[in-house]
Amino acid sequence: MISGRRVLLAVTGGVAAYKSALLTRLLVEDGAEVRVILTESAHHFVGPQTFAALTGSAPYTKLFDSDSVSPHTELARWAEVIVVAPATAASLSKMANGLSNDLFSATVLAYTGPVLIAPAMHTEMWEHPATARNMAILEEFGYETVGPESGALAGGDEGVGRVAEPEQIHEALSDLLGTRPDLGRLLVTAGGTREPIDPVRYLGNRSTGKMGHAIANEAAQRGYDVTLVTTSNLHADPAVNLVEVETAEQMLNAVEQVDMDVAIMAAAVADFRPAKKSAHKLSRSEGLDSVELVPNPDILESVVARDKRPLVVGFAAETGDVERAVQKAKRKDVDLLVYNDVTEPGSGFGTDTNRVTFVNRDGSVDPMPLTSKDEVAAQLLDRIAALRSLDS
Ligand code: C5P
């Protein structure tokens, strides 16, 4: 299962590097998020532009002079798996000996997850005791190998040392990643609803959907089957089932179609909508004294009222004290409420950070420090896992 997985492909300097372009295309087509490291010698065989076009972002090439202060540790933390293809004799040697004098070797040294290597070199180099020793060390590290095959080599030679075909590497990678744990079905609602007045204007709110999307993406990475019903066009992990909506009624209709074990209601749903939507754009001369409003359905309530009630997490963006959130958690009958004060700096709409307080079912509260929305998403999913294990 490669879809949605974060694959770091290291292309080292051998003629077989051109096959890594095909491998990249296979992985991208399969829904993987692919980042590429090109070593300096790989540049003699393939160009960064090829990989930029295939993945949508420029390959990583330098340990220094890049935007990041620590590109190797950043990449190592990002990757779920590293594939070294082609892996030259020199790159095997670097990995086996813990060298870290370029971006590729430093990233591998900083990395703790699974590594798949596809060696490619001349037969003499492959059969040299130094390479055999390096391979034995890499095997001891737990690194997996695919190939090399026997066949035509660079310069018209024949023998063992030919890199495995892209399809073979792709298959070995699928086996290595295995299937993710099946954590069940999880719904996330995200973004602020937009309630139309006419084809141009709407009643809306300041929610951007950042928090909800961060939760959906993290949940997909952990192995949930995620449906994200959202008004936002922010990035969603390719493994997420994305349903785009605008209004509260559309959001409710979409949610009603979803079977779920966990519901995380992070959307800012407008409490009211205009009673009628004008079919044409209202002009100034027509005038509009007032907009009559009618209440919107409560989506969270509909989920709580299901016969097969999922575990339900509500959100409360408030401008008051936490006691209001505690009351809201009770009233809404949720298993967990995520409260944040949107007037606090760095917390709330459109920011990358959030300071939240978790309100538990028994009314107890756990205030958290200001942190990234990604981290809040991770903490929330940890709490959900704990609640679900208490349940079972
Ligand atoms: O807007 P309010 O603070 O009451 O929202 C509390 C929770 O209820 C949130 O999780 C929100 O997503 C959900 N909600 C909903 N449908 C509504 C109003 C709120 O699902 N119409």
Side-chain angles (χ1 to χ4, degrees):
M1 216 285 248
I2 285 178
S3 174
R5 312 299 286 266
R6 298 183 304 274
V7 180
L8 180 60
L9 173 63
V11 181
T12 71
V15 66
Y18 78 93
K19 288 197 183 169
S20 295
L22 300 174
L23 173 63
T24 304
R25 199 185 60 192
L26 282 180
L27 298 175
V28 170
E29 274 173 358
D30 221 2
E33 267 187 72
V34 184
R35 292 188 184 175
V36 176
I37 291 179
L38 275 192
T39 63
E40 207 180 310
S41 9
H43 283 78
H44 294 290
F45 301 95
V46 283
Q49 207 53 40
T50 306
F51 292 95
L54 289 166
T55 62
S57 58
Y60 297 79
T61 55
K62 292 195 181 84
L63 190 50
F64 303 105
D65 307 326
S66 76
D67 290 342
S68 164
V69 285
S70 185
H72 56 305
T73 51
E74 256 177 41
L75 282 169
R77 282 191 199 125
W78 174 85
E80 268 185 275
V81 63
I82 294 182
V83 183
V84 188
T88 58
S91 62
L92 297 182
S93 180
K94 282 186 174 195
M95 288 189 286
N97 291 289
L99 239 70
S100 58
N101 60 348
D102 63 4
L103 181 62
F104 155 68
S105 52
T107 305
V108 174
L109 197 62
Y111 179 68
T112 52
V115 178
L116 177 66
I117 41 187
M121 65 203 71
H122 267 85
T123 313
E124 299 83 339
M125 296 168 84
W126 176 246
E127 288 178 350
H128 194 285
T131 303
R133 184 197 57 201
N134 289 335
M135 285 303 296
I137 292 173
L138 294 173
E139 204 171 304
E140 219 172 275
F141 291 170
Y143 292 8
E144 300 277 335
T145 309
V146 53
E149 303 299 309
S150 190
L153 302 171
D157 293 333
E158 287 267 339
V160 179
R162 199 179 145 92
V163 78
E165 290 303 319
E167 290 76 12
Q168 259 178 290
I169 301 175
H170 176 268
E171 201 181 312
L173 182 60
S174 302
D175 290 348
L176 178 60
L177 287 171
T179 46
R180 278 196 256 202
D182 178 8
L183 296 182
R185 299 151 305 177
L186 180 142
L187 166 85
V188 183
T189 64
T193 61
R194 294 188 283 274
E195 311 293 340
I197 297 170
D198 68 18
V200 178
R201 305 170 179 103
Y202 61 80
L203 291 181
N205 62 65
R206 292 159 67 88
S207 168
T208 58
K210 272 188 184 164
M211 192 63 246
H213 280 237
I215 295 166
N217 293 343
E218 175 68 21
Q221 291 299 333
R222 289 188 181 205
Y224 280 101
D225 174 7
V226 180
T227 301
L228 172 62
V229 180
T230 181
T231 65
S232 162
N233 55 13
L234 286 172
H235 168 75
D237 189 294
V240 164
N241 309 307
L242 189 67
V243 186
E244 289 177 303
V245 295
E246 285 237 322
T247 67
E249 282 184 306
Q250 289 167 359
M251 190 172 270
L252 175 69
N253 289 339
V255 166
E256 279 176 343
Q257 311 301 315
V258 183
D259 288 328
M260 62 193 92
D261 305 299
V262 180
I264 304 179
M265 314 301 283
V269 184
D271 289 326
F272 300 97
R273 66 176 184 278
K276 49 182 192 291
K277 173 188 163 187
S278 166
H280 65 277
K281 182 182 172 189
L282 296 168
S283 66
R284 180 194 282 261
S285 56
E286 262 173 283
L288 185 66
D289 294 335
S290 61
V291 177
E292 193 195 334
L293 298 175
V294 292
N296 260 334
D298 190 324
I299 304 167
L300 185 145
E301 196 177 285
S302 78
V303 169
V304 167
R306 284 187 179 203
D307 285 343
K308 270 191 75 191
R309 177 199 154 120
L311 186 144
V312 183
V313 179
F315 271 69
E318 300 280 349
T319 53
D321 68 308
V322 69
E323 193 43 40
R324 280 169 62 104
V326 174
Q327 293 313 321
K328 180 169 276 187
K330 268 208 192 103
R331 198 168 61 245
K332 295 244 171 189
D333 189 23
V334 290
D335 298 283
L336 184 66
L337 188 91
V338 186
Y339 157 78
N340 72 308
D341 184 342
V342 290
T343 58
E344 265 193 51
S347 196
F349 300 126
T351 59
D352 288 325
T353 53
N354 217 352
R355 186 203 304 277
V356 303
T357 297
F358 291 108
V359 180
N360 304 304
R361 212 175 164 78
D362 62 5
S364 62
V365 295
D366 295 323
M368 310 308 283
L370 183 71
T371 184
S372 70
K373 285 186 173 170
D374 289 343
E375 182 55 32
V376 174
Q379 287 175 2
L380 172 60
L381 289 164
D382 287 349
R383 278 169 188 262
I384 290 169
L387 287 174
R388 292 183 82 202
S389 67
L390 289 180
D391 255 11
S392 57

